[in-house]
Amino acid sequence: MNKKWFGSIIALAVIAAMVGIMLKNTANDGLSGQKKQLERELTQSEMQEKAETGTAAERGEGIAKGEAAPDFTLETLDGGELTLSELRGEKVILNFWASWCGPCRAEMPHMQEYYEKEAEKAGVRVIAVNLSTSERGNKEKVMDNIQSFVDEFGLTFPIPLDTAGEQMDVYRVITIPTTYIIDTSGIIRHVIRGPMDAEMMRDLTASID
């Protein structure tokens, strides 16, 4: 074997060794990257789990799923007063409606049926906020329309009156009816834009704690 040929073999051997070292380092880097990615995912999962179990006081207030439902105190149609935060410990169906709204007329019999037959046993409070500023006519006419609606459908759950339109803005009620399903910690779990039936109310409230 001549020196030139021997030199070539040595050179190839050195290159092969370097490539082997590079491949090993690359594999180690890849494994390290996967471990880091897994650690990040586990951390994110733990953070999400903690967030999901947090109380309303620990969560940011807002109207998206997973946020604490904005609190309010409103006068009710029967002359009483209702504060949303005082319902903590119970699931809440928070509905927004108006007497002129066709879909609301379709929904209300189902809501009353659910309220009468299932809500108490399931630990659910039904609250139907009338969007009074969207009602038609002067103040006296508005109150007559609301009462007539309630009487027509025999509604017996609380009817808070959003007479200033503040909660309509806070909860960004554009589609009527709009309903927020709130868990026992005061956290919004579902948002429904449009009418529901009793089966939907049952399924949605059963899916939360």
Side-chain angles (χ1 to χ4, degrees):
M1 182 182 296
N2 58 44
K3 292 182 178 179
K4 184 177 180 181
W5 178 250
F6 182 75
S8 298
I9 293 175
I10 294 298
L12 288 173
V14 171
I15 292 172
M18 292 177 65
V19 169
I21 293 171
M22 290 174 63
L23 289 173
K24 182 179 180 181
N25 289 339
T26 300
N28 289 337
D29 289 344
L31 182 58
S32 177
Q34 287 179 333
K35 288 182 178 179
K36 289 179 180 178
Q37 178 63 24
L38 180 59
E39 288 173 358
R40 284 195 294 268
E41 290 177 357
L42 288 173
T43 300
Q44 290 172 354
S45 178
E46 289 173 359
M47 290 174 64
Q48 183 176 358
E49 184 176 351
K50 288 179 181 178
E52 289 295 326
T53 57
T55 65
E58 297 167 339
R59 306 288 292 276
E61 186 175 276
I63 60 168
K65 294 180 184 179
E67 294 183 317
D71 195 18
F72 60 76
T73 298
L74 293 174
E75 184 179 348
T76 56
L77 184 61
D78 62 5
E81 195 173 76
L82 184 142
T83 299
L84 182 62
S85 60
E86 292 181 355
L87 304 181
R88 298 275 165 79
E90 298 179 275
K91 303 175 186 180
V92 177
I93 294 176
L94 178 61
N95 176 262
F96 293 89
W97 66 280
S99 65
W100 51 263
C101 163
C104 299
R105 297 182 65 84
E107 177 181 63
M108 282 301 180
H110 295 283
M111 192 165 289
Q112 180 63 28
E113 176 189 355
Y114 175 80
Y115 179 71
E116 288 179 356
K117 297 180 179 180
E118 303 182 50
E120 184 175 359
K121 184 178 179 180
V124 178
R125 293 290 295 270
V126 176
I127 308 298
V129 178
N130 174 261
L131 302 172
S132 307
T133 54
S134 75
E135 295 285 353
R136 298 160 184 171
N138 57 33
K139 184 176 181 180
E140 183 177 350
K141 179 64 175 175
V142 165
M143 296 307 295
D144 286 346
N145 289 342
I146 296 170
Q147 189 63 59
S148 295
F149 186 99
V150 170
D151 292 343
E152 178 181 354
F153 294 104
L155 306 182
T156 55
F157 42 77
I159 308 290
L161 305 173
D162 185 23
T163 56
E166 183 177 351
Q167 300 313 314
M168 183 177 185
D169 292 338
V170 169
Y171 281 86
R172 298 178 191 171
V173 181
I174 299 174
T175 301
I176 304 175
T178 288
T179 304
Y180 289 84
I181 307 297
I182 303 170
D183 70 14
T184 55
S185 296
I187 307 301
I188 294 170
R189 294 303 180 186
H190 302 286
V191 182
I192 302 90
R193 304 193 187 281
M196 299 186 295
D197 59 20
E199 183 178 359
M200 288 179 65
M201 298 174 202
R202 181 184 313 118
D203 291 343
L204 289 170
T205 53
S207 71
I208 65 174
D209 295 324

